[in-house]
């Protein structure tokens, strides 16, 4: 008996899916060599045969009315053909092995039409889809959704051109509204998020940053009629976006200079423009029932809804024509609420940007490591690092799981490999330079990644994926080179040889500490590596979790050691993403009683561990996400009093420039419910959910208005109230003490744990003690350092509530 199998989608069993369903079979037992054959089940085939199976041209009609007419090969639909479903759906194009595979056009019952590439019944590659509501998407697809570069045209005239990910606007892109407004910048999951430029239809510009669609952070507004701003100077004045690439580099990659000048739209379609360069290449298993409702995700409809976000939130009214065209406005926003505004003369901005650029450049010149590896060398290091980590993790992951042994920490516990540019028996060819790779204690770090519940595949995708790594500026004096993974989960930092020795020396104790204390605040370390370049120069790297990996914007960041000598930042060098120091901190943070107790228990345990390893110079890296206050000035009488709502602009509902205010609600603690929050572990997540005294000692989540519900863990998503006592000059009142109060979400961890109190540090302590108060300097013996560190945090940063 010979049997011919043809696969089809069962759309009733998998509604909305592009994937294959059950198998339908054609029994060709006793098939005669005829041009037409009727089967007992009602199916009919008319066409060519080879021996007893369809081969060549033929038409097959199923008993339910589904029809395929086209090429056959060895009993399978193979080549070009057309499928018609009883529902009215139609496909015409390439078919391979019974699948829609190659180039083809699909018309669904709702009238939507897709023309483009397919892979195994799923839209994949370049294609154009016209939706039933007349929206159009032209661009790249992946696994049935928009991913890559593409253009989306809404039926109301709005248009987005740029990058997509998992069906949403993600990356760099340009949104053009039919009213003439335009946003050119960064996107995240369908929202404006990051640095960008908003151009108003009347000619005004706003250079700034956004978080989930709302202005958030500092920016500069140029009214209509003012001199067209220099993009480079304005971008430099904005500084860096969350420590990533500078805004200027992002802007240049978007070709902003070209886009600032409105050009008439070109009606020739994207598909037409690409057809000359090869068009859609070949080849296509199918569902005879997929015609009922195309079965393919109509992601365009999602954007019809989200486009309302953009068209309605077009910042209309911000760019009214000003009489004095030399005036510009420096503004600061929190979640769409303007909290500060400063009027400046246009000519002052280039001077300010130039001054900031010089200070940054001077700081960079002091960084020997950055000077050595800048430019092309830094790029090669990034590629080498990705290649090495991919090789190491791929090699160590298949090894059967076992407990860590003493030998796993020894000198021989290393993987060494040579990566020639042309490739070898064990390594792939690559576009970088030849290099030697060394991976330290691979079994230990594999076990650490398992303790942190980090999946090996996700780890490799984050660091070694196609999106690459982003080089970021060094926040400290070490001169280290820093890379950030594309998803913000991991920070990679260069190490000095002395730091590497300290890390390897303390690794057994570090491993035991994080194994015993799941809530440890100490930096999570995922791997230590070394690259040897052809010049014999050795570069050492450590991979760590990014403590600021969050969808919330980090408005302020502090590096707190508890010392006072020199622990302040020059005001001329402060920009939005500067990491401030102890004396720069003017806030106190009031926390839930239980949350504070958990925090200081762990700080005490971690400090005792570092003291036992003779480590000093560590600090608490603290990130603050401010929630916009209900009152723009945020002033209240002494803590525990009610808000002063008199004479506030928020009471009028608008800012001075006419922007509508979003009423802000405070953070809310709720009983922890895993089904409501994302409980997947990440590189910055530590342990289980914390318990709050205010909720009867139950595990809690924090509800952040405008964002969602977040799991509260030690050092992650921790709610608090930030208070700052105003001076008389700020409060304009000598009778009542006023405080600036904000709801904040805190992110924190202990960093810089590789400085040992050795002979060199002892000598430094002796020298500085002669000139300065010995208790104020950073370099002190480990026991005193640990005590001063915890006391400072307990008394000055997180004081106990009265």
């Amino acid at each position: 008996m010979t049997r011919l199998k043809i696969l089809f989608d069962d759309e009733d069993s998998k509604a909305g899916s592009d994937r294959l369903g059950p198998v339908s079979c054609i029994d060709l037992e006793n098939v005669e060599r005829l041009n037409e054959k009727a089967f007992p089940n009602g199916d009919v085939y008319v066409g060519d045969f080879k021996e007893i199976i369809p081969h060549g041209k033929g038409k097959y009609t199923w008993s339910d009315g589904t029809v395929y007419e086209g090429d056959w090969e060895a009993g399978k639909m193979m080549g070009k053909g057309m499928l018609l479903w009883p529902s009215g759906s139609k496909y015409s194009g390439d078919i391979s092995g019974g699948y829609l595979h190659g180039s083809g056009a699909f018309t669904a019952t709702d009238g939507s039409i897709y023309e483009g590439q397919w892979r195994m019944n799923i839209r994949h590659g370049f294609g154009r889809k016209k939706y039933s509501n007349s929206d159009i998407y032209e661009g790249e697809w992946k696994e049935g959704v928009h991913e890559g570069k593409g253009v989306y045209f809404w039926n109301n005239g709005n248009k987005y051109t740029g990058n997509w990910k998992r069906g949403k606007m993600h990356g760099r892109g340009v949104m053009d509204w039919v009213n003439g407004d335009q946003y050119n910048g960064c996107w995240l999951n369908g929202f404006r998020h990051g640095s960008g430029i908003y151009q108003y239809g009347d000619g005004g510009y706003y250079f700034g940053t956004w978080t989930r669609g709302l202005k958030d952070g500092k920016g500069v507004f140029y009214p209509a009629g003012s001199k067209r701003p220099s993009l480079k100077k304005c971008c430099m004045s904005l500084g860096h976006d969350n420590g990533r690439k500078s805004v200027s580099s992002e802007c240049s990659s978007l070709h902003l200079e070209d886009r600032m000048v409105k050009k008439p739209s070109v009606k020739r379609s994207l598909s037409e423009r690409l057809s000359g360069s090869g068009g859609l290449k070949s080849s296509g298993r199918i569902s005879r029932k997929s015609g009922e409702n195309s079965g393919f995700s109509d992601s365009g409809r999602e954007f019809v809804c989200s486009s309302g976000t953009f068209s309605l939130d077009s910042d209309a009214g911000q760019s009214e024509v000003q009489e004095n065209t030399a005036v510009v406005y420096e503004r600061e926003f929190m979640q769409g609420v303007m909290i500060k505004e400063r009027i400046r003369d246009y000519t002052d901005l280039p001077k300010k940007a130039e001054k900031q650029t010089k200070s940054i450049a001077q700081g960079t010149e002091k960084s020997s490591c950055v000077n050595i590896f800048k430019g092309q060398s830094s790029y090669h290091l990034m590629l080498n690092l990705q290649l090495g980590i991919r090789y190491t993790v791929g090699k160590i992951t298949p090894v059967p799981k076992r407990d860590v042994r003493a030998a796993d920490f020894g000198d021989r516990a290393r993987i060494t490999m040579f990566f020639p540019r042309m490739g070898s028996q064990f390594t792939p060819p690559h576009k970088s330079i030849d290099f030697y790779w060394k991976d330290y204690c691979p079994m230990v770090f594999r076990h650490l990644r398992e303790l942190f519940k980090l999946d090996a595949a996700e780890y490799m995708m984050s660091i070694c994926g196609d999106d690459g790594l982003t080089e970021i500026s060094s926040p400290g004096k070490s001169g280290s080179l820093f890379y950030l993974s594309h998803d913000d989960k991991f920070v990679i930092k260069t190490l000095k040889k002395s730091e590497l020795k300290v890390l390897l020396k303390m690794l057994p104790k570090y491993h035991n500490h994080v194994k015993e204390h799941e809530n440890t605040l100490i930096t999570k370390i995922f791997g230590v590596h070394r690259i040897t370049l052809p010049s014999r120069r050795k570069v050492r790297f450590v991979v760590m979790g990014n403590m600021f990996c969050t969808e919330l914007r980090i408005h302020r960041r502090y590096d707190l050691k508890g010392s006072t000598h020199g622990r302040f930042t020059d005001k001329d060098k402060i920009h939005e993403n500067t990491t401030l120091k102890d004396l720069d901190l003017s806030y106190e943070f009031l926390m839930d009683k239980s949350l504070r107790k958990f925090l200081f228990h762990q700080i005490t345990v971690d400090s005792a561990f570092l003291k036992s390893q003779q480590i000093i110079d560590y600090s608490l890296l603290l990130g603050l996400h401010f929630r916009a206050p209900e009152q723009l000035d945020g002033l209240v009488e002494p803590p525990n009093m009610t808000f002063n709502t008199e004479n506030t602009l928020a009471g009028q509902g608008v800012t001075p420039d006419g922007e509508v205010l979003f009423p802000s609600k405070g953070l809310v603690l709720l009983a922890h419910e895993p089904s409501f929050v994302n409980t997947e572990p990440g590189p910055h997540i530590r342990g289980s959910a914390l318990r709050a005294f205010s909720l009867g000692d139950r595990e809690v989540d924090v509800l952040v208005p405008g964002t969602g519900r977040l799991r509260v863990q030690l050092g992650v998503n921790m709610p608090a109230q930030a208070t700052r006592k105003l001076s008389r000059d700020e409060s304009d009142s000598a009778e009542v003490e006023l405080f600036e109060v904000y709801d904040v979400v805190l992110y924190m961890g202990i960093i810089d744990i590789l400085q040992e109190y050795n002979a060199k540090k002892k000598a430094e302590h002796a020298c500085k003690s002669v000139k300065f108060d010995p208790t104020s300097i950073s370099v002190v013996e480990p026991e005193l350092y640990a005590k001063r560190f915890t006391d400072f945090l307990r008394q000055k940063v997180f004081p106990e509530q009265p």
Side-chain angles (χ1 to χ4, degrees):
M1 179 178 71
T2 303
R3 188 177 296 273
L4 172 65
K5 295 184 179 180
I6 306 178
L7 303 184
F8 300 98
D9 263 338
D10 185 346
E11 195 156 318
D12 294 333
S13 65
K14 281 197 174 184
S17 173
D18 291 336
R19 301 189 180 277
L20 295 176
V23 177
S24 297
C25 300
I26 305 172
D27 191 347
L28 297 182
E29 184 178 10
N30 301 321
V31 172
E32 300 178 4
R33 304 187 70 177
L34 301 174
N35 289 333
E36 181 175 348
K37 176 64 178 179
F39 298 93
N41 63 358
D43 294 355
V44 177
Y45 173 77
V46 179
D48 300 329
F49 284 88
K50 182 179 182 181
E51 295 181 354
I52 62 171
I53 58 177
H55 186 87
K57 300 284 185 181
K59 178 180 179 181
Y60 196 99
T61 305
W62 282 265
S63 58
D64 64 359
T66 303
V67 178
Y68 169 75
E69 184 173 3
D71 297 332
W72 294 79
E73 183 176 324
K76 296 181 180 179
M77 295 179 285
M78 182 79 73
K80 293 188 177 295
M82 182 176 66
L83 269 161
L84 296 174
W85 287 268
S87 63
S89 294
K90 174 183 176 181
Y91 173 80
S92 178
D94 294 334
I95 296 178
S96 179
Y99 292 94
L100 308 184
H101 191 88
S103 302
F106 182 89
T107 303
T109 55
D110 62 0
S112 63
I113 302 173
Y114 172 78
E115 298 175 293
Q117 293 180 307
W118 298 78
R119 187 177 74 176
M120 304 291 285
N121 272 16
I122 302 173
R123 294 186 295 266
H124 189 95
F126 183 86
R128 179 182 189 272
K129 181 171 182 178
K130 182 176 181 180
Y131 294 88
S132 57
N133 63 356
S134 298
D135 287 2
I136 296 175
Y137 172 77
E138 295 180 342
E140 297 173 348
W141 298 72
K142 184 177 180 180
E143 299 295 331
V145 297
H146 313 155
E147 183 150 340
K149 299 184 184 298
V151 184
Y152 197 100
F153 303 87
W154 280 268
N155 57 17
N156 60 6
N158 296 338
K159 181 180 76 169
Y160 171 80
T161 307
N163 293 312
W164 300 76
K165 191 170 184 178
R166 291 188 285 272
K168 295 182 179 180
M169 293 168 280
H170 189 105
R172 299 185 181 94
V174 181
M175 183 76 183
D176 292 287
W177 285 271
V178 68
N179 65 357
D181 288 3
Q182 180 191 84
Y183 170 76
N184 194 331
C186 300
W187 299 78
L188 179 70
N189 294 327
F191 292 96
R192 286 170 281 177
H193 190 95
S195 306
I197 300 177
Y198 197 103
Q199 177 182 355
Y200 301 93
D202 62 4
Y205 298 94
Y206 177 76
F207 296 72
T209 54
W210 280 257
T211 299
R212 296 179 62 83
L214 299 176
K215 292 193 185 79
D216 200 11
K218 295 181 180 179
V220 182
F221 172 61
Y222 291 78
S226 61
K227 181 179 178 181
R228 175 181 166 182
S230 167
L231 296 184
K232 291 183 178 180
K233 291 179 180 179
C234 290
C235 289
M236 284 190 294
S237 68
L238 290 176
H240 291 67
D241 179 34
N242 285 336
R244 304 176 201 169
K245 290 180 180 179
S246 65
V247 182
S248 57
S249 65
E250 293 180 351
C251 293
S252 62
S253 66
L254 286 167
H255 307 291
L256 295 185
E257 292 286 0
D258 296 335
R259 294 192 174 278
M260 298 297 275
V261 180
K262 297 288 186 180
K263 297 180 181 180
S265 59
V266 180
K267 294 188 176 180
R268 188 168 57 132
S269 70
L270 190 57
S271 55
E272 287 178 306
R273 294 198 297 272
L274 295 184
S275 62
S277 60
L280 303 175
K281 295 185 180 179
S282 76
S283 315
R285 273 178 213 210
I286 326 153
S287 165
R288 52 177 175 164
K289 293 186 179 181
S290 67
E292 290 291 333
N293 262 321
S294 70
F296 304 126
S297 59
D298 197 342
S299 57
R301 296 185 179 180
E302 178 182 350
F303 300 115
V304 175
C305 300
S306 65
S307 67
T309 303
F310 304 123
S311 58
L312 293 175
D313 183 22
S314 61
D315 301 289
Q318 272 248 345
S319 56
E320 296 179 2
V321 177
Q322 307 291 323
E323 294 180 3
N324 187 354
T325 56
V327 172
V328 297
Y329 299 85
E330 287 186 335
R331 293 172 175 170
E332 184 171 359
F333 290 83
M334 284 187 185
Q335 298 91 48
V337 178
M338 189 175 72
I339 60 172
K340 291 182 182 178
E341 181 179 75
R342 183 179 180 185
I343 300 176
R344 297 180 63 92
D345 188 275
Y346 173 79
T347 56
D348 292 340
L349 288 181
K351 295 178 182 178
K352 180 181 178 183
E354 183 179 358
K355 188 174 182 180
Q356 289 184 349
T357 304
K358 286 182 178 179
S359 64
I360 294 173
Q362 290 171 357
T364 303
E365 290 299 323
K366 297 177 183 178
S367 172
S368 58
C369 187
V370 174
N371 289 335
I372 293 171
F373 301 114
K374 64 184 178 181
Q376 190 70 11
S377 298
S378 176
Y379 174 73
H380 287 316
L381 280 178
M382 180 191 75
L383 293 181
N384 296 348
L385 189 63
Q386 291 180 301
L387 285 166
I389 291 177
R390 185 184 295 116
Y391 173 84
T392 300
V393 176
K395 185 178 180 66
I396 202 70
T397 299
V399 176
K401 292 184 179 181
R402 59 173 176 80
D403 292 335
V404 175
R405 305 165 184 166
D408 294 326
F409 295 95
D411 292 338
R412 295 185 179 181
R414 300 174 183 180
I415 295 177
T416 304
M417 182 57 63
F418 176 58
F419 284 78
R421 184 173 183 179
M422 302 305 294
S424 68
Q425 180 181 355
F426 305 102
T427 63
H430 55 85
K431 297 181 180 180
S432 184
I433 56 179
D434 296 353
F435 68 97
Y436 284 91
W437 173 261
K438 180 176 286 188
D439 185 77
Y440 295 92
C441 306
M443 287 301 296
V444 176
F445 286 108
R446 187 186 86 159
H447 190 248
L448 285 172
R449 292 193 291 269
E450 291 170 356
L451 286 177
F452 298 138
K453 301 177 182 177
L454 185 61
D455 181 74
E458 293 180 1
Y459 180 66
M460 282 197 292
M461 284 301 296
S462 292
I463 298 177
C464 309
D466 295 336
D467 293 326
L469 303 172
T470 301
E471 185 180 345
I472 57 178
S473 60
S474 173
K477 300 179 181 178
S478 64
S480 298
L481 192 67
F482 285 81
Y483 292 106
L484 186 68
S485 63
H486 72 92
D487 54 8
D488 293 350
K489 290 183 177 180
F490 303 98
V491 174
I492 303 172
K493 174 188 175 183
T494 56
L495 293 177
K496 297 177 182 177
K497 185 176 182 180
S498 59
E499 293 175 324
L500 175 62
K501 288 182 177 180
V502 172
L503 176 55
L504 295 178
K505 178 183 175 182
M506 69 182 294
L507 186 57
K509 298 293 184 182
Y510 172 85
H511 174 267
N512 290 337
H513 182 76
V514 299
K515 185 178 180 181
E516 294 174 6
H517 303 281
E518 66 172 2
N519 288 315
T520 181
L521 290 170
I522 294 177
T523 305
K524 285 187 175 181
I525 301 177
F526 302 106
V528 179
H529 318 287
R530 190 185 79 181
I531 292 173
T532 303
L533 303 174
S535 63
R536 309 308 298 172
R537 184 178 299 278
K538 297 177 175 63
V539 189
R540 302 159 188 89
F541 293 93
V542 59
V543 183
M544 304 173 291
N546 178 17
M547 295 174 184
F548 296 156
C549 178
T550 171
E551 58 185 312
L552 301 180
R553 183 177 182 81
I554 303 299
H555 295 103
R556 300 285 187 275
R557 39 183 64 77
Y558 293 90
D559 183 274
L560 306 174
K561 295 185 177 182
S563 58
T564 56
H565 176 68
R567 297 292 294 167
F568 64 91
T569 308
D570 187 344
K571 292 184 179 180
D572 293 335
K573 297 181 180 180
I574 295 178
H575 55 82
E576 187 176 3
N577 295 292
T578 300
T579 301
L580 304 173
K581 301 177 183 179
D582 302 63
L583 297 179
D584 300 318
L585 182 65
S586 56
Y587 292 99
E588 291 182 345
F589 303 98
L590 303 179
M591 305 177 67
D592 176 272
K593 184 177 179 180
S594 293
L595 298 183
R596 182 179 182 276
K597 179 182 177 181
F598 288 128
L599 175 63
F600 278 102
H601 168 74
Q602 193 59 51
I603 289 176
T604 302
V605 170
D606 291 339
S607 299
F609 164 73
L610 295 174
K611 179 180 68 175
S612 70
Q613 300 302 303
Q614 294 294 295
I615 301 297
I616 63 168
D617 218 28
Y618 49 89
S619 56
L620 184 79
L621 184 62
L622 177 65
L624 314 179
H625 171 77
F626 286 92
R627 300 307 298 173
E630 292 188 20
Q631 292 76 25
L632 290 182
D633 56 7
L635 299 182
V636 299
E637 294 187 2
N640 302 324
M641 302 294 288
T642 57
F643 278 88
N644 176 7
T645 57
E646 296 180 3
N647 300 322
T648 59
L649 291 172
Q652 302 170 20
V654 293
T655 61
D657 62 345
E659 183 170 0
V660 177
L661 297 181
F662 295 87
S664 174
K665 298 178 181 179
L667 302 173
V668 179
L669 283 177
L670 302 170
H672 176 59
E673 296 185 49
S675 59
F676 283 90
V677 296
N678 181 9
T679 57
E680 294 182 3
H684 67 308
I685 301 298
R686 296 177 178 83
S688 58
L690 296 185
R691 300 177 182 275
F693 177 81
S694 57
L695 282 184
D697 201 38
R698 288 188 295 175
E699 292 185 346
V700 292
D701 303 328
V702 60
L703 181 63
V704 182
T707 300
R709 189 166 175 165
L710 305 175
R711 186 184 185 191
V712 179
Q713 295 175 282
L714 201 62
V716 180
N717 303 326
M718 297 188 70
Q721 190 175 64
T723 64
R724 182 173 75 93
K725 182 179 177 180
L726 299 183
S727 64
R728 290 188 177 184
D729 292 338
E730 292 176 297
S731 64
D732 294 327
S733 172
E735 299 178 358
V736 180
E737 286 187 334
L738 293 181
F739 289 75
E740 194 176 53
V741 178
Y742 294 95
D743 285 326
V744 294
V745 183
L746 304 178
Y747 298 84
M748 66 188 82
I750 297 176
I751 63 171
D752 296 337
I753 61 170
L754 300 179
Q755 184 56 63
E756 195 174 33
Y757 190 64
N758 51 25
K760 181 180 178 181
K761 288 296 179 182
K762 291 177 182 179
E764 181 182 346
H765 171 76
C767 292
K768 290 186 176 180
S769 296
V770 176
K771 297 181 180 180
F772 311 105
D773 179 1
T775 61
S776 69
I777 60 178
S778 178
V779 183
V780 295
E781 58 91 16
E783 186 171 354
L784 177 59
Y785 193 97
K787 184 178 185 305
R788 185 182 63 184
F789 177 70
T790 54
D791 287 347
F792 173 74
L793 296 178
R794 193 187 305 272
Q795 298 168 13
K796 301 294 185 181
V797 184
F798 306 104
E800 191 171 3
Q801 292 196 46

